[in-house]
Amino acid sequence: MKYAVNCSILFKELPLFERVQAAKESGFEAVEYWWPFDTAEPAEKDVDTFVDAINDSGVQLIGLNFFAGDMPAGDRGLVSWVEREAEFKANVPVVMEIGKRTGCRAFNALYGNRQKGVDIAQQDEIGAQNLAFAAKAAAEIEGVVLLEPVSGSPDYPLKKAAEVIAVMDRVKDDYGVSNIGFLADLYHLAANGDDVDKVIELYTARAAHCQIADSPGRGEPGTGDLPLKKYLDQMKARGYDNWVALEYNPTVETAQSFTHLPELL
């Protein structure tokens, strides 16, 4: 397996766009980012700054989130957010352009929290429409849209792997798109009480990406009690040979948090 660093949650000692170089100096050849801007349609010069930071580092961008709203305030995506469809759809071509310029081909779409007073069926239909729209755009550059379970947000509806898979199947059946992949975030699955061994058995073949952190606490591997090596070995045995992204909150300086990774992983 190949390991990458999520530069939105690691290397917080540094400015956001300088973290990719720190990842390179720590020996990583690939990084991923959450959406690195405050709006769905950032200024062109800001996009250029981000793209240049990636390309100048010599590190591959292997994952990028779509705009997910105000994450610090608790937003968890626009995909199923009624009345923000235009904002999401305006973000998609910006994400794809970054993908073209950096070689990134995996794009994570956070589904969005349930909205109080809004019909759930309406939210899910908007979610399916938006995922299909994004997947069709990604297909033009041979990309994949990722969908994941999320913990820590009570109003986020996709907490178990089966719930994510059901949405993926709906989009495929209703809109004929198949380039939506399961993002197997082992931390979120465990934190939500899913049976991770069973998830790996049932859904590894549909996993297009993997992220890890230890649990409880979402720290680096070794700070909790998740058997991450066992899980990754099981995924590998079932044919997973794609990226594993480190997406944890370091309990020490980021570079020090990598010390035990080779023996644990």
Side-chain angles (χ1 to χ4, degrees), residues 26-98:
S26 293
F28 292 91
E29 298 180 355
V31 299
E32 63 177 17
Y33 272 87
W34 301 338
W35 185 243
F37 309 103
D38 294 331
T39 64
E41 297 180 89
E44 185 176 347
K45 63 180 179 60
D46 294 331
V47 172
D48 289 343
T49 298
F50 176 63
V51 169
D52 288 346
I54 297 294
N55 291 338
D56 291 348
S57 73
V59 169
Q60 178 64 50
L61 181 68
I62 53 90
L64 180 65
N65 283 22
F66 293 95
F67 177 61
D70 187 348
M71 293 274 284
D75 293 346
R76 289 297 181 270
L78 302 187
V79 169
S80 65
W81 196 325
V82 177
E83 297 184 351
R84 294 186 76 172
E85 302 96 312
E87 188 176 1
F88 178 78
K89 289 181 176 178
N91 178 238
V92 170
V94 183
V95 174
M96 295 306 131
E97 181 61 26
I98 293 173

Side-chain angles (χ1 to χ4, degrees), residues 23-254:
K24 174 73 171 179
E25 292 171 359
S26 293
F28 292 91
E29 298 180 355
V31 299
E32 63 177 17
Y33 272 87
W34 301 338
W35 185 243
F37 309 103
D38 294 331
T39 64
E41 297 180 89
E44 185 176 347
K45 63 180 179 60
D46 294 331
V47 172
D48 289 343
T49 298
F50 176 63
V51 169
D52 288 346
I54 297 294
N55 291 338
D56 291 348
S57 73
V59 169
Q60 178 64 50
L61 181 68
I62 53 90
L64 180 65
N65 283 22
F66 293 95
F67 177 61
D70 187 348
M71 293 274 284
D75 293 346
R76 289 297 181 270
L78 302 187
V79 169
S80 65
W81 196 325
V82 177
E83 297 184 351
R84 294 186 76 172
E85 302 96 312
E87 188 176 1
F88 178 78
K89 289 181 176 178
N91 178 238
V92 170
V94 183
V95 174
M96 295 306 131
E97 181 61 26
I98 293 173
K100 290 177 186 176
R101 295 174 63 185
T102 61
C104 183
R105 294 295 182 266
F107 309 101
N108 187 23
L110 292 182
Y111 194 70
N113 294 330
R114 290 302 190 202
Q115 297 169 258
K116 291 180 174 59
V118 178
D119 181 64
I120 289 176
Q122 183 183 7
Q123 279 199 264
D124 287 338
E125 177 55 31
I126 291 298
Q129 291 176 10
N130 281 335
L131 284 170
F133 179 84
K136 289 175 182 178
E140 295 180 4
I141 61 170
E142 299 182 343
V144 60
V145 171
L146 304 172
L147 193 64
E148 67 172 324
V150 169
S151 64
S153 181
D155 295 326
Y156 192 88
L158 308 184
K159 293 181 170 64
K160 302 292 182 71
E163 294 165 336
V164 173
I165 297 297
V167 173
M168 291 168 55
D169 287 344
R170 174 180 179 168
V171 177
K172 181 178 181 180
D173 292 344
D174 291 355
Y175 295 94
V177 298
S178 57
N179 61 321
I180 300 180
F182 174 45
L183 197 172
D185 187 308
L186 303 184
Y187 165 76
H188 284 312
L189 290 167
N192 284 334
D194 215 339
D195 184 337
V196 179
D197 292 290
K198 194 69 173 178
V199 169
I200 291 169
E201 177 186 348
L202 293 175
Y203 303 127
T204 293
R206 303 188 66 174
H209 193 58
C210 178
Q211 294 172 330
I212 61 170
D214 215 331
S215 180
R218 202 177 185 178
E220 64 267 23
T223 57
D225 54 21
L226 276 191
L228 290 169
K229 185 179 188 304
K230 183 191 79 167
Y231 291 153
L232 294 174
D233 285 346
Q234 289 175 346
M235 290 183 68
K236 185 175 182 178
R238 292 184 175 276
Y240 185 82
D241 191 28
N242 209 331
W243 292 103
V244 176
L246 309 178
E247 193 193 37
Y248 57 75
N249 289 304
T251 61
V252 294
E253 188 176 82
T254 300

